Amino acid sequence: MSNAQQPTDPVKKGLEGVVAGSTAISDVDGQQCQLIYRGYNIDELVGKASYEEVSYLLFYGKLPTRSQLAEWTRQLDGGRTVDPHVLDILKQLPIHAPSMALLRTMVSVIGCDDPQAEDEALESIQKKAIRLTAQTVTLVAAIGRLRENNTPLPPKPGLSHAANFLYMLHGEEPVPVLAKALDAYFVLLADHGFNASTFTARTVTGTKSDYYSAVTAAIGSLKGPLHGAANRKAMEMLEEIGTPEQVEPYVQRTLADHKRFMGFGHRVYKGADPRAKHLKDIAKSLGTTNETKWFVISEKLQDAVWNAKQLYINVDFYSASLLHYLGIPTELFTAMFACARMAGWSAHILEQWADNRLIRPLSQYTGPRGLKFVPLSERT
Ligand code: SDX
């Protein structure tokens, strides 16, 4: 008898604890509470390596040399512009639809507009991935500006990925400390093993469907409040609380209502999410020159939820105040997560293409058996 799982074996709901495949891109170590990108602990990378360096690392498996980084940056710079006729289609969409729905739609539009969309050659997929990774910040900034009745701005050549987003959203070049904060956010959220949206992208790729379909599906998965939308929900939670004095009453109400605290808990980490401490430090530093109350409420809520349920914060908790301090509208928060995760999704799609096998698990049938057909005239 093969040791393959049988439909009669116990089901791991939500595939909890199931090793569904292998990858050399990142390791999410739930016991040690460590995140490794291609061999580097993220503590080694954050604040030292830029998103340009880390996205190269995720794609190609090593940190770039100076000349490789210059070429990579040139490719990202060259790919960041979104064609005007594509932006015209964005302008025809209901701009107050959820920003993740708009982003999902616009990735599909860019796919329809790409004559190479169906080309399966790895080099072709790499080119699409580099271009779309670069364009995603342009799309999200355009969505943000159109929602405020402002005209979308083209990217400014020579600005970094993070600085360009803030320029395209706010219409002015960011001070270095803000660009550095967003760059670190992008690095910390760039990849995370077989999380739901990445596994979705790999499952779509497993059928040999195209790159844009895999990214569109991943955006759809990230949109959910149990995954990427938790950062937006965490900010809404902070705004509902409003003042540090209201933290404890909020916690008691949430517990009494058996509701979830957004930005807390994780399927894999059995301790602290290793990204959270860095995001907390960045949010704290930004808070000193802004409305400090969001950081103060966050820290008080973190302690109160720990005391009540021994729940750890996850990547989305301090992402909320960090993104708020960068002047990014709450509605765009999950789309910011997508901007960061584009590098990870793309690397996983390329890895799946390079050694593909259709992803098709078994299921345990729990319905009836042996029923006999009853003609319509006899059904009651
Ligand atoms: C991301 O997978 C990844 O890697 C994702 C991610 C990435 O980088 O890609 O890390 C990004 O998605 C982070 C998670 C963002 N989501 C949230 O913050 C939403 C709130 N958190 C959860 O709902 C929850 O913690 C999950 C979904 C993240 C994980 O849930 P699990 O593993 O399915 O755990 P569970 O729902 O079975 O909960 C176990 C227990 C339950 O207690 P009981 O009801 O059994 O008594 O813990 C409790 C839960 O009630 N619990 C929470 C809670 N999370 C778990 N209780 C209150 N608030 C929470 N947030």
Side-chain angles (χ1 to χ4, degrees):
M1 169 75 78
S2 79
N3 60 8
Q5 227 191 341
Q6 302 302 317
T8 51
D9 289 353
V11 169
K12 303 278 189 172
K13 200 166 181 185
L15 297 183
E16 178 157 14
V18 170
V19 178
S22 58
T23 178
I25 300 170
S26 63
D27 181 30
V28 179
D29 183 334
Q31 298 306 321
Q32 300 296 320
C33 294
Q34 289 186 350
L35 174 57
I36 311 288
Y37 287 169
R38 297 280 198 186
Y40 295 89
N41 188 306
I42 51 148
D43 296 343
E44 282 288 305
L45 296 170
V46 64
K48 300 171 194 162
S50 65
Y51 184 71
E52 282 80 356
E53 290 175 274
V54 168
S55 51
Y56 184 98
L57 170 67
L58 293 173
F59 268 65
Y60 299 113
K62 68 183 195 63
L63 285 169
T65 61
R66 192 178 299 278
S67 60
Q68 288 167 335
L69 180 59
E71 173 56 18
W72 179 251
T73 303
R74 190 192 63 73
Q75 290 178 43
L76 289 170
D77 235 13
R80 198 165 283 124
T81 299
V82 172
D83 290 349
H85 69 273
V86 170
L87 286 177
D88 287 344
I89 293 171
L90 173 60
K91 291 170 185 171
Q92 294 170 47
L93 297 177
I95 200 58
H96 290 290
S99 52
M100 283 292 275
L102 294 169
L103 180 61
R104 185 192 63 213
T105 304
M106 290 312 295
V107 166
S108 289
V109 166
I110 288 176
C112 292
D113 193 49
D114 181 354
Q116 304 303 317
E118 306 301 320
D119 187 336
E120 297 179 5
L122 273 184
E123 191 180 343
S124 172
I125 298 172
Q126 270 174 358
K127 282 185 184 153
K128 288 177 269 198
I130 295 166
R131 190 171 57 242
L132 191 62
T133 298
Q135 286 177 323
T136 308
V137 288
T138 310
L139 285 173
V140 174
I143 291 167
R145 286 186 70 83
L146 288 168
R147 287 171 65 91
E148 302 292 327
N149 290 319
N150 293 323
T151 306
L153 292 173
K156 184 171 270 191
L159 281 185
S160 71
H161 199 60
N164 237 320
F165 172 78
L166 292 172
Y167 161 71
M168 289 188 281
L169 181 66
H170 296 313
E172 58 186 14
E173 287 191 33
V175 296
V177 69
L178 300 184
K180 191 167 168 55
L182 184 58
D183 183 73
Y185 170 84
F186 282 159
V187 165
L188 288 163
L189 278 81
D191 196 51
H192 210 243
F194 279 18
N195 61 84
S197 53
T198 298
F199 190 64
T200 299
R202 292 192 75 126
T203 302
V204 171
T205 302
T207 71
K208 297 190 80 171
S209 184
D210 67 291
Y211 170 76
Y212 295 103
S213 294
V215 174
T216 302
I219 293 171
S221 171
L222 187 72
K223 183 172 179 286
L226 292 188
H227 189 12
N231 56 17
R232 170 172 59 80
K233 294 268 184 191
M235 190 67 219
E236 291 166 0
M237 174 175 66
L238 298 178
E239 288 167 336
E240 182 184 341
I241 292 170
T243 66
E245 295 68 35
Q246 285 306 312
V247 165
E248 198 51 47
Y250 176 86
V251 169
Q252 293 314 315
R253 275 199 313 277
T254 305
L255 293 171
D257 297 346
H258 301 291
K259 287 185 180 170
R260 293 287 168 107
F261 296 97
M262 289 293 119
F264 287 84
H266 200 275
R267 169 61 62 79
V268 178
Y269 291 124
K270 296 314 165 200
D273 183 326
R275 301 164 291 181
K277 62 180 181 292
H278 297 293
L279 292 163
K280 180 174 183 176
D281 289 346
I282 298 166
K284 185 174 186 176
S285 67
L286 294 176
T288 54
T289 56
N290 287 279
E291 311 156 272
T292 52
K293 75 169 184 176
W294 300 118
F295 181 80
V296 171
I297 293 171
S298 299
E299 201 167 37
K300 192 163 180 165
L301 181 59
Q302 177 184 359
D303 293 344
V305 173
W306 173 260
N307 292 336
K309 285 205 86 163
Q310 289 73 56
L311 278 174
Y312 290 92
I313 56 172
N314 60 44
V315 67
D316 288 312
F317 187 66
Y318 282 103
S319 289
S321 48
L322 186 160
L323 294 172
H324 179 80
Y325 284 139
L326 292 175
I328 297 168
T330 305
E331 172 52 33
L332 295 184
F333 280 16
T334 309
M336 295 310 293
F337 194 151
C339 290
R341 192 52 56 89
M342 271 300 298
W345 287 336
S346 298
H348 280 271
I349 291 167
L350 286 161
E351 185 180 62
Q352 184 71 31
W353 266 106
D355 180 19
N356 184 45
R357 181 152 168 71
L358 178 71
I359 297 171
R360 200 284 184 213
L362 296 176
S363 55
Q364 193 171 69
Y365 176 68
T366 58
R369 294 179 189 278
L371 300 182
K372 298 298 178 203
F373 179 75
V374 175
L376 184 57
S377 58
E378 296 171 25
R379 281 177 228 154
T380 54

